[in-house]
């Protein structure tokens, strides 16, 4: 067997493919030929050096860069988490809302807020909203954390959020009707139903 | 029992976004290193990683679970790299020099804390030579060498990825090994 033939055996040996007679022949040749033996050593070193080449660090933002080119609907971290753990998410929402309500309830004094298209016709005094006698409100009123005293007339709706209404003469004075909203409860309901809508939409 | 990977792939096939993102996390570094070794620079490694996952996303419905997912994604990645190498060769330009030079980045010359100063220099020089030798490998040997040695894949797997018989893979490994040996011998590294 000449050295050229041995070279191809060396590669087979490195691939783990050499057995039996051929392996014997190679071993015999290597014992007598320092040249081929050196060749094997070099090839082994080459393999070792190639294998040991360190991997350079992957850029931190690689996932983001990849996901940037993927044409999919973007999800927030919270949405992903909520879908993965729906029961936990529901519990978390509940806790957050309850905490929020507790704080809201403990608040000693909430400020009066008046809004709506008819607010320019009213008089505001402390936490009272007054529709003076003889005054007609052409629009809607939303009163939050206060009291509304209707002496005149309101042509629109009155919405009361955690508020009272005082109709001095008759209920007919509010043409659009009166809606009471207990903010805490309704808000919880609103948030929870919105949360489940999120799952339904998927 | 199904492996986590199989579950993730099933979900990703159904269009689950979280699963796809998990798949990205499972394979991004493998594809990045493939690109980095094949193309020799970080920018193209990133590009190739993005492109690979975009193709995976677009054609995951065609992926046949009978085959290994790693083989499939490596095939996409390798093909994209080979394609780039061929284009680079065709568009023979001055840029080629710059691209090769970028392969040696600051990080690899940074010493590791465990080595003595003398060892650091020798290691980084050796690594630089090995990298250069791989960078200069002709494309048909490069893909085989990178998959076999840097990703530690079996000859059969390399054959599956490159869609060629194992005997061809072996021939290419032999030639690639000889090529590297000569380069490293020339640099007095072995
Ligand atoms: Zn010999």
């Amino acid at each position: 067997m000449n050295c050229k033939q041995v070279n191809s055996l060396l590669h087979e040996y490195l691939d783990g493919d050499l057995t039996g007679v051929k392996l014997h022949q190679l071993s015999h040749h290597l014992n007598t030929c320092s040249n081929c033996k050196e060749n094997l050593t070099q090839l082994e070193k080459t393999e070792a050096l190639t294998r040991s080449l360190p991997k350079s660090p992957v850029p931190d933002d690689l996932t983001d860069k990849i996901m940037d080119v993927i044409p999919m609907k973007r999800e927030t971290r919270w949405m992903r988490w909520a879908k993965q753990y729906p029961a936990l998410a529901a519990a978390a929402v509940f806790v957050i809302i309850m905490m929020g309500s507790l704080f809201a309830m403990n608040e000693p004094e909430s400020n009066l807020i008046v809004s709506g298209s008819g607010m320019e016709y009213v008089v505001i005094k402390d936490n009272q909203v007054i529709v003076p006698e003889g005054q007609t409100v052409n629009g809607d009123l939303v009163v939050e954390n206060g009291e509304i005293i209707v002496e005149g007339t309101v042509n629109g709706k009155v919405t009361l959020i955690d508020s009272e209404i005082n109709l001095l003469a008759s209920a007919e004075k509010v043409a659009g009707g009166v809606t009471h909203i207990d903010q805490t409860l309704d808000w919880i309901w609103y948030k929870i139903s919105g949360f489940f809508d999120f799952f339904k939409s998927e | 029992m199904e492996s986590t990977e199989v579950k993730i792939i099933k979900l990703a096939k159904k269009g689950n976004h979280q699963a796809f993102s998990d798949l990205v996390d499972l394979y991004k570094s493998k594809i990045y290193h493939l690109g980095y070794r094949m193309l020799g620079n970080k920018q193209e490694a990133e590009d190739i990683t993005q492109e690979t996952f975009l193709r995976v996303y677009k054609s995951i419905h065609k992926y046949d679970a009978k085959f290994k997912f790693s083989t499939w994604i490596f095939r996409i990645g390798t093909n994209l790299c080979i394609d780039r190498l061929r284009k680079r060769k065709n568009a023979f330009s001055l840029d080629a020099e710059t691209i090769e030079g970028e392969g040696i980045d600051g990080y690899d010359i940074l010493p590791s804390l465990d080595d003595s100063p003398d060892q650091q220099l020798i290691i980084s020089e050796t690594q630089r030579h090995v990298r250069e030798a791989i960078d200069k490998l002709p494309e048909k040997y490069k893909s085989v060498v990178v998959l076999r040695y840097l990703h530690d894949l079996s000859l059969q797997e390399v054959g599956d990825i490159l869609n060629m018989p194992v005997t061809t893979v072996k021939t290419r490994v032999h030639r690639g090994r000889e090529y590297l040996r000569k380069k490293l011998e020339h640099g007095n590294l072995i």
Side-chain angles (χ1 to χ4, degrees):
Chain A
M1 197 184 288
N2 64 38
C3 292
K4 202 171 185 277
Q5 289 169 309
V6 167
N7 185 269
S8 110
L9 283 190
L10 286 180
H11 284 284
E12 285 181 51
Y13 169 72
L14 289 171
D15 289 339
D17 286 343
L18 218 54
T19 50
V21 183
K22 276 183 168 182
L23 186 62
H24 233 84
Q25 286 176 324
L26 176 66
S27 152
H28 182 74
H29 183 93
L30 293 180
N31 281 332
T32 54
C33 178
S34 61
N35 218 342
C36 286
K37 198 167 180 173
E38 174 61 17
N39 257 346
L40 176 62
T41 310
Q42 284 195 342
L43 287 169
E44 280 173 336
K45 282 184 185 169
T46 301
E47 278 201 319
L49 282 174
T50 310
R51 277 189 206 277
S52 68
L53 203 61
K55 295 191 169 179
S56 60
V58 174
D60 290 339
D61 55 354
L62 189 59
T63 301
D64 291 338
K65 280 185 175 167
I66 295 165
M67 296 310 278
D68 277 348
V69 296
I70 303 298
M72 62 167 63
K73 206 167 65 182
R74 311 242 42 187
E75 286 183 331
T76 62
R77 203 177 284 255
W78 153 248
M79 280 158 86
R80 257 182 268 150
W81 184 81
K83 265 195 254 174
Q84 224 173 341
Y85 308 104
L88 266 182
V93 166
F94 186 72
V95 168
I96 291 164
I97 290 167
M98 289 317 288
M99 295 288 279
S101 332
L102 279 179
F103 285 124
M105 282 182 231
N106 288 343
E107 228 173 319
E109 240 180 321
S110 306
N111 292 325
L112 167 75
I113 301 165
V114 188
S115 54
S117 52
M119 66 175 293
E120 63 210 74
Y121 305 102
V122 301
V123 175
I124 297 165
K125 212 177 109 191
D126 299 329
N127 74 336
Q128 289 183 329
V129 180
I130 302 158
V131 180
E133 205 174 345
Q135 176 73 61
T136 304
V137 175
N138 289 310
D140 299 333
L141 284 174
V142 180
V143 180
E144 215 173 323
N145 305 316
E147 185 190 4
I148 180 166
I149 298 163
V150 183
E151 292 167 356
T153 41
V154 180
N155 282 340
K157 294 180 289 189
V158 172
T159 305
L160 303 166
I161 302 170
D162 292 339
S163 300
E164 298 298 320
I165 189 163
N166 192 343
L167 295 163
L168 286 181
S170 84
E172 303 301 310
K173 285 183 173 175
V174 180
V178 179
T179 313
H180 288 268
I181 293 175
D182 183 330
Q183 202 180 19
T184 312
L185 284 178
D186 286 345
W187 191 62
I188 290 175
W189 176 244
Y190 168 79
K191 285 287 174 185
I192 289 176
S193 57
F195 179 74
F196 285 107
D197 284 344
F198 161 69
F199 284 100
K200 273 184 257 163
S201 71
E202 282 307 305
Chain B
M1 223 182 92
E2 278 182 355
S3 72
T4 314
E5 187 182 300
V6 170
K7 280 181 200 151
I8 289 171
I9 292 162
K10 272 191 179 172
L11 285 170
K13 264 186 109 163
K14 286 181 194 160
N16 182 298
H17 306 141
Q18 179 56 46
F20 192 83
S21 160
D22 289 345
L23 207 54
V24 169
D25 281 333
L26 275 177
Y27 280 98
K28 65 175 179 187
S29 65
K30 285 184 174 135
I31 301 303
Y32 179 81
H33 290 305
L34 173 78
Y36 196 34
R37 259 320 118 241
M38 291 288 285
L39 303 164
N41 68 87
K42 290 177 173 179
Q43 187 51 55
E44 283 189 286
E46 269 189 34
D47 292 350
I48 221 75
T49 314
Q50 281 184 324
E51 261 185 83
T52 301
F53 281 103
L54 184 58
R55 295 211 178 192
V56 167
Y57 182 74
K58 284 182 174 167
S59 55
I60 196 158
H61 61 280
K62 284 189 254 167
Y63 163 67
D64 184 346
K66 274 188 291 193
F67 301 98
K68 270 178 90 170
F69 184 79
S70 62
T71 302
W72 189 64
I73 192 169
F74 265 122
R75 182 182 287 180
I76 294 173
T78 313
N79 285 344
L80 287 169
C81 289
I82 291 172
D83 193 48
R84 278 204 179 211
L85 287 172
R86 286 184 186 157
K87 276 183 192 149
R88 196 191 281 178
K89 207 173 157 193
N90 292 341
F92 188 76
S93 70
L94 289 170
D95 290 347
E97 280 301 306
T98 330
I99 286 162
E100 266 181 36
E102 280 172 21
I104 304 125
D105 51 73
Y107 181 86
D108 299 288
I109 302 159
L110 279 179
S112 99
L113 294 168
D114 305 329
D115 301 323
S116 73
D118 284 353
Q119 280 172 316
Q120 286 161 19
L121 186 69
I122 295 160
I123 289 167
S124 65
E125 269 297 287
T126 308
Q127 285 175 354
R128 194 171 61 81
H129 275 95
V130 178
R131 291 172 134 233
E132 280 176 347
I134 294 171
D135 280 347
K136 290 196 177 97
L137 269 175
E139 169 249 301
K140 61 176 180 175
Y141 306 136
K142 197 192 258 186
S143 38
V144 172
V145 164
V146 168
L147 292 171
R148 174 84 177 117
Y149 291 116
L150 290 122
H151 287 90
D152 209 23
L153 298 174
S154 71
L155 293 163
Q156 181 61 54
E157 256 177 301
V158 177
D160 290 344
I161 290 165
L162 297 170
N163 205 17
M164 57 175 70
V166 176
T167 49
T168 312
V169 176
K170 281 182 186 171
T171 311
R172 291 190 177 188
V173 167
H174 298 179
R175 301 233 170 103
R177 204 152 45 194
E178 275 308 325
Y179 184 100
L180 289 177
R181 182 182 72 88
K182 278 178 191 132
K183 287 274 175 202
L184 298 179
E185 186 187 25
H186 189 72
N188 289 321
L189 289 164
I190 49 173

